[in-house]
Amino acid sequence: MIKRGRLLNRPPISLEERYFSEIRPQLYENHAHHDQTGVRKGTTLAEHLDSACQFILTVSRIAEVAEDKRPLLLAATAVHDLNKLEGSKGRNVKTLARDQDFLKEQLEKACVLSFVNTEDDLELVRKLIERHSGHSASDGARFLPEDPNIERWAAMLVAADLFDLGIPDALRFRKIETELTVAFGRKCNFFRVRLSEDKGYITSLLLGACEEVLQKYGFHPIAIFPDSELFEGANLPNVDLTNEIAAVWQNKIDQVFGNNIEKLVRPTKDGIKVTHQAIQQNVDEVLVNIQALLEKKKAGYKSDKIAKDVSKWGDNAGEKALKKAAELGLLPVSSAEEFAISEGLKAAYLSYREAGLNPKEVWDKIAHHTGISEHQRLALEPFNGQYGRPLFAAKAAINGIEGINEALKESFKLRNNSTETSEEIQVSEEMILAVNRMVNLPFANQLMGINELDAYVEANPRQRCSLGATSSEIDELISANMPPGTKVQAFSNRLPGGISAEPKRQADSIAALAYQLMTVGANFPKVSKQEPLYLHLALPKGSAPELLRIWRELLKQLAATNTEGGTITVDQLQLYRDNKLEFKANKVVGAALPKRPDFVHTSVIIPLVWGDVNVSLALLKSLRLGLEISLSLDIGFSFTLSSNMEVDLFDDVYGRVEGIPSALQPLLGNGQYDQSQDAEKILERLRCLGELAISVASIQKSDDCLYDLARTCDRPIELYFVLLRRILREQDEPNLSVIWSRICQPLNTLLESLMPNDNSLLTKYLKEAAQIAAEGRIWGSSFKRTAQSEPFTAFITAVKNQKPYLDLEVMFAALVQQYHTRLDRISEYNVGLKKLEQVKQYYEILRKLYEEVYSARPEKLLSDQKTLEAAYLFFLEEARTKLKSKSENDSDDTNTNV
């Protein structure tokens, strides 16, 4: 079993933090492989104890249990199944609870004994443990005066024990509600807000809105699941809260974009464009950003370039139009100030067009606001509305920037269909429908499926979605507002007579908004747009709401590693050498963590960008990082690694990797890991690869080495050749003995994982030959690499030069004689019959390898020549190490006997 890491390294402050940083890891180290039976079959004892402990932490806080008593409730919960902790001796919980030595021993193993400071504390823990298992009626101490709260606390422990029971939810929740009614002293009802789809940050904001509204009505979050959140309260609301949730959700979205107006007001080659999300926020801030962009346009004014544009659009309008325009004072721009005004007119034109007005209506309104006369307005008609008229109207716009601002404000008003600027949010029907579609609320049982089906069936084929589900609300977006690689569905603007602009992508408005939230809400690197991989991490089933707070704080703390607000990356040397996560800032590559804590709820999406590397290497680096986080002892996540922002996290699969190339499947499996043990196996392989890479290559080339090793795992024997080739690139005559001492452990662990039942003749015969060579010192005159492989190289050379008229008997007899003579010549002492016998055995093994593995076919053997030589060298080092170790042990035994 691999050693799993931890994420929470700071000193704990609250009881919950102490549980997750100290107690929970100990529970998993003690009981992670203790399987349960009966109604809890399929889960481990560690998972059950963890579920109960998190539940007791939550309900004890809701019930306002005194802070000095909550640790005792947690201690009792951590060891409440004493009969399972004892093993197979058969004693019941009551007997075990009254065995003080055993009880203290279990409390100490669970790291909760420090909570039990007095005999009274120990007695309280005993009572809670006994009563959770139905022995309260036989407890004689019940007839003595005792704290009346014990009954409530015992009910909490019973409810915690029932929380992960493997029975239908309706029955399980009814049992828990009964116990919590006693614990809280009031009626208790559960209901679940369940997700029907997850679109990342926008879904987290929606769940946050649900939580905020429900807490206002007296409901408390009690547990978080990857696909839902469980609430408890006295009574279910009698009103439909959908509109209120949609309003809060809209407000949260607005707050995100309100701080990112500059990303929604964009200068393009066609003019300054303002997205719909920007004008829904702060109109004044939008105008400030437009003004800033106009100032940049003014500073970048180039008279020769503008002269070309004036000539182009003037020629298009014709000589007559130019003459009439000049008579009315419509002269082309000739200064930086006038150029800025023309760009402002173009921005107003684009904004009006977004409101659905035709070019004539647009310029009527622009003329009204900017002071262009009626005659001048008519004279502008022959010029192109978007590109030509602004260039010739700038001098006539006597109201200047003020008039342009007024025109922009009116266009924004038309686009919003509302003049409200108060804090009261007008929620669109689209947002209300999105709430109904994305979450299942118990007070909003509207069947939306028929509407979705109608939208799909009746949609114009040209409006099929590139992103999201086909619905009535479809936006046409350029590629900058869509995920990288999104395909174009309609090519109408590439048909004859169409414009030459970029084809538009069709997107469901909520799906497009979800992606735009991601682009402004994640700490992406400040470089050109790259296609990231997305690591989706979901909190474990039944997580305490306090764990969500701790997780959010941890992500915020990690993001702060980069003070400039960009990506963070892991220290590769520490990761590969020590299996330790140490994060540091990076401007180009790494994890783009969320900027706001409310982007994290039941799950979080972490985009991963690795720069200019191939897809397979990016996958390996992302999966290693994802597994280290996912398998942490103090939190533990289910995960999905995908190139898509939207994935399905709502099943019982522990982890999933989408898009594994065929070359990596022998290493990474099919990409679906049903249990944490499956993911542990993959993490162990990746750790071994990382350790090997850092052992034989420099840190700058470790990723390339890692990739080469990973691709070789479909035929593990070739790992030896890749390692030797990397070693020789670093040094011409390496000390293989020292290098073997560094790589033998991770290499053997990796081979055992890839080939747990390796019975291949190739490996068997190579190892036997290496063992004979080590025992008989059958090698050349030095410890250089070529001298060590000399007898094996002689075998390869003989096969290469084999004559068709000579059989194998002759070839191998010649090999034995020649190499025996060679050993005799280089040895200080005469080589006798014993050495000859060892050389015979050595080449007999190689003959078996040649005949049984390669069918005595030279071309097959020679195709593996380099692989065989590399493997032989490492097997020889392994055999030498074993002989040395055996010699030292024999020496120690002799000294001990003497």
Side-chain angles (χ1 to χ4, degrees), residues 766 769-774 776-782 784-799 811-812 814-816 818-820 822-823 826 835 838-844 846-847 868-869 872-873 876 880:
L766 275 177
Q771 185 66 34
I772 293 171
R777 301 178 63 84
I778 303 174
W779 54 72
S781 57
S782 71
K784 290 184 177 181
R785 173 180 58 89
T786 52
Q788 298 299 297
S789 62
E790 190 178 84
F792 191 82
T793 306
F795 159 63
I796 296 292
T797 304
V799 171
M811 185 183 84
F812 278 96
L815 264 175
V816 172
Q818 289 168 7
Y819 204 74
H820 181 261
R822 164 70 175 161
L823 290 176
I826 64 176
K835 184 69 70 177
Q838 289 174 327
V839 174
K840 283 183 179 179
Q841 291 177 6
Y842 178 83
Y843 282 113
E844 281 175 6
L846 293 184
R847 180 175 177 177
L868 295 175
E869 288 180 354
Y872 173 78
L873 277 170
L876 182 60
R880 274 211 198 103

Side-chain angles (χ1 to χ4, degrees), residues 379-392:
L380 287 171
E381 198 66 33
F383 294 87
N384 180 276
Q386 181 174 345
Y387 301 100
R389 294 180 197 178
L391 291 172
F392 289 86

Side-chain angles (χ1 to χ4, degrees), residues 87 131 198 204 259 286 288 326 402 419 504 516 611 647 695 703:
R131 295 182 189 183
D198 186 0
S204 295
N259 296 327
V286 173
V288 168
E402 291 77 11
T419 59
K504 296 293 189 295
Q516 290 159 14
V647 297
S695 298
D703 277 344

Side-chain angles (χ1 to χ4, degrees), residues 443-507:
F443 40 76
N445 296 320
Q446 302 181 25
L447 296 175
M448 307 298 296
I450 190 65
N451 297 336
E452 297 288 331
L453 183 59
D454 288 342
Y456 178 79
V457 171
E458 297 174 4
N460 187 321
R462 293 183 181 276
Q463 292 183 331
R464 295 295 185 201
C465 279
S466 305
L467 181 68
T470 301
S471 66
S472 57
E473 297 294 336
I474 301 296
D475 290 339
E476 283 193 350
L477 300 172
I478 62 172
S479 61
N481 289 334
M482 299 282 274
T486 306
K487 304 300 181 184
V488 181
Q489 297 296 315
F491 288 87
S492 59
N493 53 3
R494 293 289 178 89
L495 297 175
I499 62 175
S500 59
E502 180 187 50
K504 296 293 189 295
R505 277 82 172 160
Q506 316 289 340

